[in-house]
Amino acid sequence: MKGQRRRWRWRGEHRRFAAVLVLYTLLLLLLVPYALDHGAGRAKDEPEPLLRRCPSLEEALSEWGWEQQQPPPDEEDDENEEDEGGGAAGNGSAAAGKRHIYLHATWRTGSSFLGELFNQHPDVFYLYEPMWHLWQALYPGDALSLQGALRDMLRALFRCDFSVLHLYAAPPAPRDPLAPAPPAAANLTTASIFGWRTNKVICSAPLCPAAPRPRDHIGLVDGAACEESCPPRALRELEAECRKYPVVVIKDVRLLELSALMPLLREPGLNLRVVQLFRDPRAVHNSRLKARQALLRESIQVLRSRHRAEPRGRQQQQQQLLLPPGLRGSAPQHRAEFFLGGALEVICQAWLRDLLLARRSPPWLRRRYTQLRYEDLVREPRAQLRRLLRFAGLAVPPALETFVLNMTRGAAYSSDRPFLISARDAREAIHAWRERLSRQQVRQVEAACGEAMSILAYPLGGDAR
């Protein structure tokens, strides 16, 4: 009897132990999913501090669904390849074929100099600010509203289809309906393209048999000599030349936000890479003030991104509506500085959105995007040139290294023609704003651009001269 009682007691304890074990297992199965769901919910409710400064960013990220998207087909095999310094060229299958590089910048950041480095490369087909035509044709459309049209234009140009220029570069129709029609848009030539006089492809053989130098000679093009020696050629001939080059590079300053390029970055037919150029906003403002009249019209288009209510066709009235009451009727230079300063504030906010988007981007996008500060290009021209060409999948010609060094080690900084590319002491240009901007101007720029400047490691506190 005692042995039987011991067996019953042992069986009872065994059953209780088994029941406790089952209950503990069930409890774990219920608690773990709850904890994960609760943590995910808190993560959604409490965004990262940086995102709070840019309320529209989270909505945009959800709309694009980056976290859910798969990388483009040509990127799948390079998922773990990193580039030194913020970007990578990627060595997938598409990298071995045609590559497309967009130089994403804004006015007076040194973008013309950056573009010229690619213009000089013998394996690059380069276009200088082709979207100028679109902005001229659609003025006074605001910068934000024109981004879709700019993206569509880029898509066509990267595919060496220049027929899109017929929409914007064609001669205007006569005001008199009985007057003869202007020449057909099909008659557009290489001389219709903005910046054609310094384009290495247009100003060398085979498009220009009388060119004094071959295409692979590295050196600035004499615009006057090109205009005299190189007759206009049909755009279809330029398209044929474009198709011969392994790399197509387009530089422009009119695309307001990096996000507008997302469809092109994912498009299977393109192998798009983006180089975004930044510069100290105080230096940008100083340079823009030197060219205030040339930049006034486009500054108004940028500033109008915050004021879309005005109808087109009333430019003078629109400008007055953008001005605060205290500046209406003031001297033109004061009004111009207000427009330029307001446009810079819009640009700095766009920079901030771009920088935050880049931080949150998935690996496949980080390999297609890199950042460059103008100051770094000037201080370390050869090292930055090598990094950029590696990003584009291009070799580094020794003559191009010599060229970039000479262009940043000139004898002078200032030029009477601010849009002219020339050798200058670019290191002096880094800090020229300290001597030219007033303390009030510096404080205004830092107040408008401080967050972007902090991310880009530009020191604040401009009062310290």
Side-chain angles (χ1 to χ4, degrees):
M1 286 294 292
K2 290 182 179 180
Q4 188 174 5
R5 288 175 181 173
R6 287 196 198 96
R7 284 196 297 273
W8 288 345
R9 189 181 302 113
W10 182 83
R11 287 175 183 173
E13 291 175 354
H14 182 71
R15 290 192 188 99
R16 284 195 296 273
F17 177 75
V20 170
L21 184 62
V22 169
L23 288 173
Y24 181 73
T25 304
L26 290 174
L27 186 62
L28 284 178
L29 292 174
L30 292 172
L31 284 177
V32 170
Y34 172 79
L36 292 175
D37 291 342
H38 181 66
R42 289 195 61 178
K44 291 179 182 177
D45 295 337
E46 298 179 6
E48 298 174 13
L50 280 175
L51 297 181
R52 293 174 184 166
R53 297 182 295 183
C54 195
S56 61
L57 178 60
E58 195 68 44
E59 180 183 348
L61 287 171
S62 301
E63 181 181 344
W64 294 322
W66 281 357
E67 288 78 3
Q68 287 75 38
Q69 288 183 357
Q70 296 299 316
D74 59 292
E75 299 285 346
E76 290 176 355
D77 296 333
D78 327 313
E79 214 33 65
N80 296 319
E81 257 185 68
E82 296 294 331
D83 176 50
E84 47 190 62
N91 297 320
S93 58
K98 204 164 187 90
R99 297 178 296 286
H100 310 94
I101 311 295
Y102 180 68
L103 306 183
H104 180 32
T106 191
W107 295 269
R108 314 311 298 154
T109 53
S111 61
S112 295
F113 171 55
L114 173 62
E116 185 62 32
L117 300 181
F118 286 95
N119 185 35
Q120 293 293 326
H121 199 287
D123 294 330
V124 168
F125 182 92
Y126 174 69
L127 288 177
Y128 174 86
E129 300 194 13
M131 274 68 86
W132 176 86
H133 299 283
L134 186 149
W135 268 46
Q136 296 299 309
L138 300 183
Y139 183 82
D142 67 87
L144 205 57
S145 296
L146 296 179
Q147 288 198 127
L150 288 174
R151 180 180 60 240
D152 293 342
M153 189 175 186
L154 274 177
R155 177 185 286 111
L157 295 175
F158 274 131
R159 295 177 182 275
C160 299
D161 176 7
F162 299 154
S163 62
V164 67
L165 292 172
H166 297 168
L167 298 173
Y168 308 111
R175 294 182 178 180
D176 184 357
L178 300 179
N187 292 336
L188 290 176
T189 67
T190 52
S192 306
I193 295 178
F194 192 56
W196 71 274
R197 293 174 183 83
T198 56
N199 186 285
K200 294 294 291 282
V201 174
I202 295 176
C203 299
S204 62
L207 291 181
C208 182
R213 295 173 179 173
R215 169 67 182 89
D216 58 0
H217 177 272
I218 293 180
L220 293 175
V221 176
D222 184 335
C226 178
E227 187 171 6
E228 181 179 350
S229 305
C230 305
R233 307 298 289 264
L235 287 188
R236 64 177 179 275
E237 296 181 66
L238 188 63
E239 291 175 339
E241 287 301 305
C242 175
R243 296 186 188 100
K244 296 177 184 178
Y245 284 81
V247 177
V248 177
V249 177
I250 295 177
K251 170 261 182 184
D252 208 88
V253 294
R254 293 165 181 83
L255 192 76
L256 190 59
E257 296 182 347
L258 176 65
S259 61
L261 296 177
M262 281 300 297
L264 300 188
L265 285 162
R266 293 201 53 82
E267 190 161 321
L270 294 179
N271 187 3
L272 179 60
R273 303 286 187 267
V274 178
V275 178
Q276 184 162 13
L277 178 66
F278 296 98
R279 187 180 184 184
D280 189 325
R282 295 162 295 198
V284 172
H285 190 54
N286 175 56
S287 184
R288 285 165 61 84
L289 290 177
K290 289 176 61 179
R292 56 164 59 90
Q293 292 305 319
L295 295 173
L296 179 58
R297 181 170 150 130
E298 291 179 314
S299 294
I300 292 174
Q301 288 179 270
V302 172
L303 189 55
R304 287 192 71 248
S305 296
R306 298 190 306 199
H307 305 270
R308 301 192 188 187
E310 303 81 18
R312 296 179 60 185
R314 302 197 327 237
Q315 289 89 345
Q316 195 67 30
Q317 182 179 355
Q318 289 162 0
Q319 293 181 20
Q320 290 297 320
L321 287 171
L322 292 174
L323 281 168
L327 280 179
R328 295 177 188 176
S330 62
Q333 65 180 28
H334 295 148
R335 295 199 300 270
E337 183 169 347
F338 169 80
F339 288 132
L340 266 63
L344 182 61
E345 182 179 355
V346 174
I347 290 167
C348 282
Q349 290 303 308
W351 278 6
L352 180 60
R353 287 190 291 272
D354 288 350
L355 291 164
L356 297 180
L357 284 170
R359 285 189 172 189
R360 288 287 302 271
S361 62
W364 69 265
L365 181 59
R366 287 198 294 271
R367 286 191 300 276
R368 290 174 171 262
Y369 170 82
T370 192
Q371 297 171 357
L372 173 67
R373 298 194 320 170
Y374 171 76
E375 292 79 8
D376 297 329
L377 178 60
V378 168
R379 291 189 181 106
E380 305 169 338
R382 286 186 289 195
Q384 294 300 326
L385 174 68
R386 294 190 201 105
R387 184 174 75 86
L388 288 171
L389 296 185
R390 178 178 180 271
F391 177 79
L394 290 163
V396 185
L400 189 52
E401 287 191 277
T402 303
F403 175 83
V404 69
L405 187 63
N406 291 338
M407 290 294 289
T408 56
R409 299 297 183 266
Y413 154 61
S414 185
S415 171
D416 293 335
R417 298 172 61 188
F419 296 97
L420 178 69
I421 300 174
S422 61
R424 58 188 64 182
D425 186 358
R427 290 173 296 182
E428 182 185 346
I430 294 176
H431 300 298
W433 60 269
R434 295 181 180 274
E435 306 299 327
R436 293 170 172 83
L437 294 183
S438 67
R439 285 183 170 83
Q440 181 182 1
Q441 289 172 322
V442 170
R443 285 195 293 267
Q444 288 173 344
V445 172
E446 291 182 350
C449 304
E451 290 178 295
M453 291 173 67
S454 296
I455 296 176
L456 291 166
Y458 289 120
L460 300 174
D463 281 348
R465 288 294 198 270

